[in-house]
Amino acid sequence: MSAPVKFVVNFVVIMLIQLFLLNDIVIKSSVSLLGIPAFIPLIYPLILLLMPVNTPSWATMAIGFFTGLVMDFYCNTPGMHAAASVLLGFIRPSLLSLFFQQTTKELKSVVPSLFKMGITSFLIYISASILAHHLFFYILQIWSLKNIPFILFKTLLSSVLSVILILLSQLLFAQRDTRRG
Amino acid sequence: MRNLILLIKQFHSFFIFLLLELVCLIIVFKNNNYQQSSYINSSRNVSGTFYSQKSKLTGFINLTEVNDSLMKENAALRKELGITMDVNPLKDSTFSKEIHVDSSLQTAHYTYIPAKVLNNTIDQTINYITLNVGSKQGIKKNMAVISANGIVGRISHVSENYSVALSFLSDRFNVSSMVSDGTVGKLSWDGKDPDYGILSGIPQSVKLKPRDSVFTSGFGNFPEKILVGKAAQVLNGTSYKIYLSTNFRKLHFVYVIAEEIDLERKKIEDSTQVN
């Protein structure tokens, strides 16, 4: 598949999973878990995280803006998902350069994945991006100094679940390729 | 000038980042005050259609639950009207007359518009509920939304076929409520547990016991005497934790109250607010 087609397929599939299943996951679980605040996993940042390594940062930021805005339309959170995704698009190239020894030009259109990067690097890459994205999102959403522990707690809960789901999705769908990037 | 261009070239991604982030933050903070209507909401036709398709696809999962709740509501309404099994209100003319007199006194100016919940969230600090009714069905901004069990919220955005209601589970959503002896307090949500609300402003002389019922007072958007919840726990002398009677996790059908008289009152009240 060519890169644009792959991107569109990724976008549609991930968005459908996010909106159909994950947004409802709290509503469907009808018991409150020992006073733990209601939270949902957000896996849509995966759209940005799985773009080819050589994508310029202006493109990831623009796509992040668009993706976030789509989420905002469906979740009634004007601007919040968009702001968090733009931040993710901005920090992504510097995060990637930590884990790939070659320069991004040599790598061309390698897609970061569990099997290319190895479990440790991939886990750190995903966790760092998801934490940054979720933290910024919940800061914007809750927006109160009084509730800083609550913001951190909710970020942690949501991030852990998101990272687990992303790892599972990689195990299921990522191309198994033993060559290390 | 040349230096400036070089600077922009070198840090172009940072400048794009700042620009996009600025746009986002303007959208966020312009709509932080939820009385302003945001353009970005799920009553838009695209998102509304998506949610109604989704509800068609996944609606059957909850059918048993929905049936049960409707049966319960029917039973409660029958009990209220005093209909026993051996009386058929459709055939017995004297009986229907009796109801007619009663209802003209009680609910003369309330029209209930039934609506289906297409989407609902409980995990955000300001939660919204997307409904499958819009301006075509006579929905207007600020109308109260209730469920069979209690209060739900009020309409905040309306499009032709869909509307979005601000859920009671929202920061700064206050409901004027009263306890059984008529003391009025303020019910709000603390942003954490979707099963509990906080009732504050009850004088220390009034002691609520656990499981005491709390109703709406009729001073706000909601009509009088709608059950809100039951007292669960004393927080301090003047505030109580209230177990909400509406289960926001299982919200399938709601009623929008089209209340002609009070919409006029609401208009006057809104015009006095500064923001």
Side-chain angles (χ1 to χ4, degrees), chain B residues 36-51:
Chain B
Q36 267 177 322
S37 58
S38 137
Y39 190 76
I40 297 168
N41 68 68
S42 59
S43 80
R44 297 282 134 222
N45 239 336
V46 190
S47 29
T49 314
F50 170 82
Y51 278 133

Side-chain angles (χ1 to χ4, degrees), chain A residues 57-179:
Chain A
S57 63
W58 63 263
T60 53
M61 279 189 282
I63 290 166
F65 183 71
F66 173 71
T67 315
L69 221 52
V70 171
M71 277 299 283
D72 287 333
F73 262 106
Y74 285 103
C75 302
N76 291 304
T77 50
M80 295 175 196
H81 282 298
S85 308
V86 169
L87 177 78
L88 181 60
F90 178 67
I91 62 169
R92 196 190 93 118
S94 25
L95 265 177
L96 273 176
S97 65
L98 289 176
F99 300 113
F100 286 102
Q101 272 78 40
Q102 302 101 315
T103 56
T104 47
K105 268 176 196 147
E106 285 171 53
L107 279 163
K108 283 175 190 162
S109 60
V110 172
V111 173
S113 79
L114 178 61
F115 301 107
K116 286 221 176 65
M117 291 173 79
I119 179 84
T120 331
S121 313
F122 186 73
L123 198 60
I124 297 171
Y125 166 59
I126 289 290
S127 312
S129 344
I130 291 287
L131 265 177
H133 174 274
H134 285 28
L135 185 64
F136 194 55
F137 174 69
Y138 282 118
I139 286 175
L140 280 182
Q141 196 194 68
I142 296 167
W143 197 251
S144 105
L145 284 174
K146 197 174 66 186
N147 281 331
I148 288 176
F150 182 58
I151 294 176
L152 295 177
F153 186 47
K154 223 170 157 178
T155 308
L156 196 70
L157 283 174
S158 192
S159 303
V160 168
L161 196 53
S162 308
V163 169
I164 290 173
L165 286 175
I166 287 174
L167 278 182
L168 279 177
S169 75
Q170 282 285 304
L171 285 172
L172 284 173
F173 300 114
Q175 284 181 330
R176 271 155 218 273
D177 192 341
T178 40
R179 276 181 296 122

Side-chain angles (χ1 to χ4, degrees), chain A residues 24-44:
Chain A
D24 279 357
I25 223 162
V26 235
I27 300 281
K28 294 284 184 281
S29 67
S30 48
V31 275
S32 91
L33 301 161
L34 303 167
I36 291 174
F39 65 97
I40 54 167
L42 300 167
I43 63 151
Y44 77 91

